[in-house]
Amino acid sequence: MLNSASELEFSNENNTEDISQFASLALSGDEASSEKSSTGAPEKTGYPDSVYVMAANVFQGIRIEKSPEKVLIKYGNEPLRSLSESKDESFQRLSYELAFSALKYQDILETILIDSFIFPSTTIPDHLSSLIIVMLYDFQDRKFQARFLSDNEESIAEVQEVENLLISFKTKLAAALARCRIKHDALSIYHILPETVRNQELRASTLPLYAWINTCKISPEEVYHSLKKKGYHKVQSVLHINDKVFAVDQHCYDVLIFPSHLKSDLLNTDLFKDYKLIFQDKSRSLAVHSVKALLNMDDDILMVNTGSWYTVAHMSILTNNNTSKIFVCGVQSQAKDPDLKNIFTKMGCKNIEILHETFINIESKDHRLQKVKVILLLPRCSGLGVSNPVEFILSEHEDAGLLKDFSQGGTSEDKLHILAQQQYEQLTHAMKFTKAQAVVYCTCSVYPEENEAVVKKALEFQGHGIKVQPYRLSPPVLPLCSLKEIHLSTDKFFRVEPSEITNGCFLSVLTRERDPSETVSVKDVLARAAAKGLLEGIELGKSSKREKKKKRSKISFPKASTTDSNGIQIKIAEFLNRETNANANQSETLTKRSLPQKNTTQVGSSSQVRKPNKPATNPLVPTFMKNTSSSRPYERPTNFIRPRPEDKMVVLKPVEIVLPPVMLPFSSPQGIRSQMPTQHFYCRWVGPKTVVPGYLSTPSIPRRGEKPKENLPSSLLRRPRPWL
């Protein structure tokens, strides 16, 4: 304790000299440490008063509360009143970034305030403590330089009061900061942060920008052309490139990648102003593309915890050509409906329906969701795979309390358990929708407790009492573009680890097992095709061979001329006569299966579809071979196609049908069809034009009893079919 005024004066002079030296050290140290990071960046001039107030209110809600014995500064519970609540996105982003920065350095800033004797020497109300913290961080970040104030900016009394206080303690604050750096042997307060937080900030500053193309407004080719006109050029990778470049993402064909420093330039282009390009984290694009891969044309989608409305819009754009409807649940305030509809209208989205119930409260048998086949579940998570937490919270409408976890570099075990339990409840509820056939589960977390553990637990304890097929884990439906991705997906989960090019992401696809009773047979496929008019002109055969022998299906075709019809009948009769003489034992069977009943053109290949592993056998082939060798070539019917014994003779009309593994034999004009093995008829048939010219003229090994093909007259192979 100082006993005299002279001693007190001498002590104050020495303290002032020491403080000045520490202050100069603090300023020089901060300049040296930030010289590399601030190169080319504009000098910071401070924020508007309203930003400080909003940042103080955000900080008040997310600050780290300490035990009573460790409390250095008391914070009030009342938020500061702002003159106007701005809803501008850039305003909110500045406020949240300032609050998050103050939160990361809360311990250091509180120590500086105590060491500089601002506390407890001044009588400042407790409700202004949060404002002092956020303004002190900005003050030291500006190297204790004065703030630039705009003439038309509206001032706030509390902000002006705190600013005057900090300026009056400028030297002492700088000295306290220098002593803190020396204590931690750090070049700047940035190096005092935990290593995980520093790495996160480094990734956030260099992470590329991802933007998806609104194909309802513009095509990818038009986007490329527009960017090239603005000086951008396409590259394979945007890493470590400071030029105006862009690249196309390997997983999502409609996603472009830009270097991080081009964001302000891109936001001023018409592509972003007109909602033709939309910035969004890649993990959300991976989720909607996974859903798109599982959809049929008329399947509906249920989206849960979508967060950003851009995710809903992207899903709508991808299904624009379908008749699908997208249901979005969790919009509790109906007052937001007009704003949301306005955004969706500007983006060209038309198939979105908003549900105001929370997902857990929606019944699985809700009549509105009977056509929902795929559920996209984006549960609230820790988000520890994201490099920019402020962007994540604002874009996904997450709770600002997550910033506390980000500032510490991790999530507490208790909070992680609560999140995992919520995720499990939502996933199991999604699996109760009996009409749904798939669930896509996606998070931005790197914790297995929120990812693999939740999915495996839900699959293990899914309700088997429901009369539906259980879910199973399916492989990723996204392309795997590297060996690392293949290795990470060996257990059927799709993972993206946080890196310098992307945020972390986890994605799982659950699909129902196929019901054996609903296995679709070849007959069912053909029946459906016939019902849709795809088999017009083709008559399906009976399933039973016994019925096929007893009955013949009849089909009407345009009638041919009388002369052509009579000529065909004569030629068929001559051929059958020769076959009867050659093989008396099989003549009756041949006559029953070959003679037409009416004067129609029912000659051609069979409409009976056969499986490729069971080729039809033709017992008439040997007899046919023997008789053709002794017959005169000019008497041979050139346009007759020998039918198989179990087939009906119908004429195929021009129709395109591709039904793997179904096989439709086509009509051949060469008259020796029975010589060819059935397995040669694997082809895509598109009407009568698909006749292979060299089908029979191709040299091959002669079969037993078959005359070499080069001895046949050319007219035998090239003569047209008169009945078609």
Side-chain angles (χ1 to χ4, degrees):
M1 177 180 292
L2 300 176
N3 296 324
S4 65
S6 59
E7 289 179 349
L8 177 61
E9 183 177 355
F10 177 77
S11 176
N12 287 339
E13 290 178 356
N14 290 339
N15 288 339
T16 302
E17 183 179 357
D18 293 340
I19 289 173
S20 299
Q21 293 177 355
F22 277 119
S24 61
L25 177 62
L27 294 175
S28 61
D30 285 341
E31 290 175 357
S33 62
S34 61
E35 180 179 359
K36 183 179 296 185
S37 61
S38 62
T39 302
E43 186 177 354
K44 296 181 179 180
T45 59
Y47 300 98
D49 287 9
S50 55
V51 172
Y52 288 121
V53 172
M54 185 175 182
N57 289 334
V58 173
F59 177 82
Q60 176 69 24
I62 64 176
R63 64 181 176 84
I64 300 174
E65 298 182 0
K66 300 179 180 179
S67 57
E69 62 274 8
K70 295 183 179 180
V71 171
L72 300 177
I73 298 176
K74 295 181 180 180
Y75 295 88
N77 297 322
E78 299 179 2
L80 296 175
R81 291 179 297 176
S82 179
L83 297 178
S84 60
E85 290 294 336
S86 175
K87 296 182 180 180
D88 182 68
E89 183 179 351
S90 60
F91 174 88
Q92 292 182 351
R93 181 172 284 101
L94 291 175
S95 301
Y96 272 81
E97 287 177 350
L98 181 57
F100 180 54
S101 298
L103 179 64
K104 289 184 293 184
Y105 298 99
Q106 179 179 339
D107 289 342
I108 299 173
L109 295 174
E110 289 179 350
T111 302
I112 292 174
L113 289 174
I114 298 296
D115 195 22
S116 63
F117 298 103
I118 289 183
F119 285 97
S121 62
T122 58
T123 57
I124 298 179
D126 291 345
H127 71 278
L128 292 181
S129 297
S130 296
L131 183 60
I132 293 177
I133 291 292
V134 297
M135 292 190 69
L136 174 59
Y137 171 79
D138 180 59
F139 193 34
Q140 67 83 29
D141 196 39
R142 300 197 315 266
K143 304 178 182 65
F144 300 100
Q145 300 300 312
R147 179 170 61 115
F148 174 79
L149 298 176
S150 177
D151 296 335
N152 57 357
E153 183 180 337
E154 194 171 7
S155 61
I156 300 176
E158 290 84 354
V159 175
Q160 298 298 322
E161 179 184 356
V162 171
E163 185 173 30
N164 292 333
L165 174 65
L166 294 177
I167 291 176
S168 64
F169 279 81
K170 172 182 176 179
T171 304
K172 293 183 178 180
L173 290 171
L177 175 61
R179 287 192 290 270
C180 182
R181 286 170 40 202
I182 294 173
K183 178 181 178 181
H184 292 87
D185 192 21
L187 184 61
S188 68
I189 61 172
Y190 167 78
H191 295 88
I192 303 176
L193 294 176
E195 184 178 0
T196 55
V197 178
R198 296 202 308 269
N199 293 336
Q200 184 185 76
E201 287 191 356
L202 181 61
R203 286 198 305 110
S205 62
T206 59
L207 191 70
L209 306 171
Y210 290 84
W212 54 270
I213 302 173
N214 185 350
T215 53
C216 281
K217 287 180 169 288
I218 192 171
S219 66
E221 291 74 17
E222 291 173 329
V223 173
Y224 305 156
H225 180 70
S226 178
L227 289 173
K228 289 179 180 178
K229 288 176 62 177
K230 293 176 173 59
Y232 289 80
H233 57 277
K234 188 176 179 181
V235 295
Q236 293 296 324
S237 174
V238 299
L239 283 181
H240 313 301
I241 299 180
N242 294 324
D243 201 0
K244 299 176 69 173
V245 297
F246 70 94
V248 180
D249 185 68
Q250 294 180 323
H251 299 99
C252 308
Y253 63 87
D254 61 343
V255 174
L256 301 184
I257 314 173
F258 299 90
S260 58
H261 67 276
L262 297 175
K263 186 171 185 178
S264 59
D265 180 67
L266 290 168
L267 288 174
N268 293 324
T269 62
D270 294 336
L271 290 174
F272 285 88
K273 291 180 179 179
D274 298 337
Y275 294 100
K276 296 177 180 178
L277 275 178
I278 294 91
F279 281 128
Q280 193 172 22
D281 186 68
K282 180 181 175 179
S283 63
R284 296 315 187 218
S285 296
L286 292 173
V288 296
H289 273 273
S290 297
V291 173
K292 178 63 170 61
L294 298 168
L295 288 177
N296 292 319
M297 288 295 293
D298 57 347
D299 291 345
D300 289 348
I301 308 161
L302 177 60
M303 302 184 69
V304 184
N305 294 339
T306 54
S308 174
W309 303 119
Y310 289 156
T311 307
V312 181
H314 197 182
M315 190 76 262
S316 176
I317 299 301
L318 290 179
T319 58
N320 183 56
N321 296 328
N322 298 10
T323 58
S324 302
K325 183 179 292 185
I326 301 173
F327 294 93
V328 184
C329 62
V331 184
Q332 300 180 5
S333 175
Q334 296 186 10
K336 295 182 180 180
D337 287 4
D339 296 335
L340 294 178
K341 291 180 180 179
N342 183 36
I343 294 176
F344 293 147
T345 301
K346 289 181 179 179
M347 301 183 71
C349 306
K350 301 177 182 179
N351 57 343
I352 300 173
E353 183 172 335
I354 299 175
L355 306 179
H356 297 286
E357 303 96 321
T358 58
F359 177 59
I360 295 296
N361 295 330
I362 297 178
E363 295 291 336
S364 59
K365 297 182 180 180
D366 193 308
H367 67 279
R368 298 167 297 180
L369 309 178
Q370 293 306 300
K371 291 182 61 179
V372 169
K373 299 300 181 183
V374 183
I375 299 177
L376 174 56
L377 183 57
L378 302 169
R380 296 187 181 278
C381 62
S382 62
L384 261 295
V386 178
S387 60
N388 191 336
V390 172
E391 188 71 30
F392 172 71
I393 288 174
L394 292 178
S395 62
E396 300 299 326
H397 305 288
E398 292 284 354
D399 183 11
L402 288 177
L403 291 176
K404 185 185 299 185
D405 299 328
F406 280 101
S407 67
Q408 302 298 312
T411 305
S412 64
E413 291 293 334
D414 294 339
K415 188 170 184 179
L416 196 61
H417 176 74
I418 294 174
L419 289 172
Q421 183 62 29
Q422 294 174 353
Q423 294 154 0
Y424 170 75
E425 291 175 358
Q426 290 186 342
L427 182 55
T428 53
H429 186 63
M431 297 168 67
K432 294 178 182 178
F433 286 74
T434 56
K435 298 294 184 180
Q437 298 299 313
V439 177
V440 177
Y441 179 88
C442 181
T443 73
C444 297
S445 174
V446 295
Y447 290 120
E449 292 87 345
E450 298 182 274
N451 299 332
E452 297 91 341
V454 172
V455 175
K456 292 179 180 179
K457 182 180 178 182
L459 289 174
E460 182 180 358
F461 295 101
Q462 60 181 311
H464 295 283
I466 305 176
K467 295 182 179 180
V468 291
Q469 290 299 110
Y471 277 97
R472 63 180 178 182
L473 190 61
S474 296
V477 293
L478 296 168
L480 303 178
C481 304
S482 66
L483 292 176
K484 185 177 182 180
E485 290 181 3
I486 296 175
H487 175 71
L488 291 174
S489 304
T490 52
D491 53 358
K492 297 184 179 181
F493 294 116
F494 184 88
R495 301 181 184 86
V496 178
E497 294 182 343
S499 65
E500 60 180 352
I501 61 173
T502 183
N503 287 322
C505 172
F506 173 85
L507 195 144
S508 176
V509 177
L510 307 180
T511 57
R512 290 198 186 276
E513 297 180 2
R514 185 179 297 275
D515 190 350
S517 63
E518 297 180 359
T519 304
V520 181
S521 63
V522 173
K523 181 180 178 181
D524 296 332
V525 173
L526 292 177
R528 293 179 184 178
K532 295 182 179 181
L534 300 177
L535 301 182
E536 183 181 358
I538 300 178
E539 184 169 354
L540 300 178
K542 301 294 182 180
S543 58
S544 173
K545 293 184 178 181
R546 183 173 300 174
E547 293 179 358
K548 289 189 291 185
K549 292 180 180 180
K550 294 181 179 180
K551 299 181 181 179
R552 297 177 184 172
S553 300
K554 299 179 181 179
I555 187 166
S556 60
F557 294 94
K559 293 184 178 181
S561 62
T562 306
T563 305
D564 294 341
S565 179
N566 293 336
I568 295 171
Q569 299 299 329
I570 295 174
K571 293 179 179 179
I572 293 175
E574 292 178 356
F575 179 81
L576 294 175
N577 186 31
R578 290 196 305 272
E579 291 300 311
T580 303
N581 295 333
N583 192 352
N585 294 331
Q586 298 179 356
S587 61
E588 183 179 355
T589 304
L590 178 62
T591 304
K592 288 183 179 180
R593 296 179 182 175
S594 301
L595 286 176
Q597 296 177 352
K598 294 184 179 180
N599 187 20
T600 60
T601 59
Q602 296 184 3
V603 180
S605 63
S606 170
S607 63
Q608 176 68 26
V609 179
R610 303 177 184 276
K611 295 183 179 179
N613 59 345
K614 294 181 180 181
T617 57
N618 195 339
L620 300 181
V621 171
T623 305
F624 176 75
M625 298 296 181
K626 296 177 182 179
N627 285 278
T628 52
S629 60
S630 60
S631 302
R632 291 178 296 176
Y634 66 91
E635 293 179 353
R636 188 185 186 97
T638 59
N639 295 313
F640 180 76
I641 301 176
R642 174 176 289 278
R644 294 192 180 102
E646 298 177 1
D647 289 348
K648 300 176 183 62
M649 294 178 291
V650 295
V651 178
L652 301 182
K653 279 190 174 181
V655 63
E656 180 172 350
I657 176 170
V658 181
L659 297 171
V662 176
M663 167 182 71
L664 286 176
F666 56 83
S667 298
S668 174
Q670 287 80 7
I672 320 177
R673 177 179 170 179
S674 60
Q675 299 180 21
M676 303 303 296
T678 306
Q679 58 267 25
H680 287 192
F681 291 119
Y682 290 88
C683 66
R684 178 189 178 107
W685 178 77
V686 193
K689 293 184 179 180
T690 56
V691 177
V692 185
Y695 185 46
L696 293 176
S697 59
T698 304
S700 60
I701 301 174
R703 301 186 182 183
R704 184 177 58 184
E706 180 182 1
K707 183 178 256 186
K709 296 178 181 179
E710 59 269 18
N711 296 333
L712 298 176
S714 60
S715 61
L716 182 63
L717 302 178
R718 302 181 181 275
R719 193 166 180 176
R721 293 170 290 179
W723 55 83
L724 292 182

